[in-house]
Amino acid sequence: MTFLDKLNSIERIPLAKLPTPLEYLPRLSAECGHPIYIKRDDELGPALGGNKTRKLEYLMADAQKKGHRKIVTFGGL
């Protein structure tokens, strides 16, 4: 079983709008002489984006499965 198979086997509640878009940065690209893109995780969804929202998808599914009505979570120290 691959890592993605294992990850896909874990229940989650979709909260994010995926996939997040890539945005071309023309002025920075011209300055660097290479095409530069930025991943727009700020458009991920209701939370502040990035791994916070992705983490909540799994935590909320687990809490719901266990019948919890409240959760408290925090980021890494």
Side-chain angles (χ1 to χ4, degrees):
M1 181 178 274
T2 68
F3 172 76
L4 285 178
D5 291 333
K6 290 178 184 177
L7 186 61
N8 289 332
S9 70
I10 301 171
E11 291 181 44
R12 69 181 183 86
I13 296 174
L15 300 173
K17 294 183 280 181
L18 297 172
T20 54
L22 291 175
E23 185 173 324
Y24 178 65
L25 303 177
R27 292 188 310 184
L28 186 57
S29 296
E31 185 72 28
C32 294
H34 299 283
I36 306 290
Y37 293 82
I38 187 168
K39 186 165 172 39
R40 294 294 306 269
D41 269 0
D42 59 317
E43 294 186 15
L44 195 62
L48 296 175
N51 290 332
K52 293 176 285 298
T53 302
R54 291 180 183 97
K55 173 185 170 184
L56 276 176
E57 290 187 334
Y58 295 98
L59 290 176
M60 295 304 292
D62 185 56
Q64 187 177 55
K65 185 170 89 175
K66 293 176 179 174
H68 297 304
R69 297 182 60 205
K70 298 176 184 178
I71 67 161
V72 175
T73 183
F74 60 93
L77 299 175

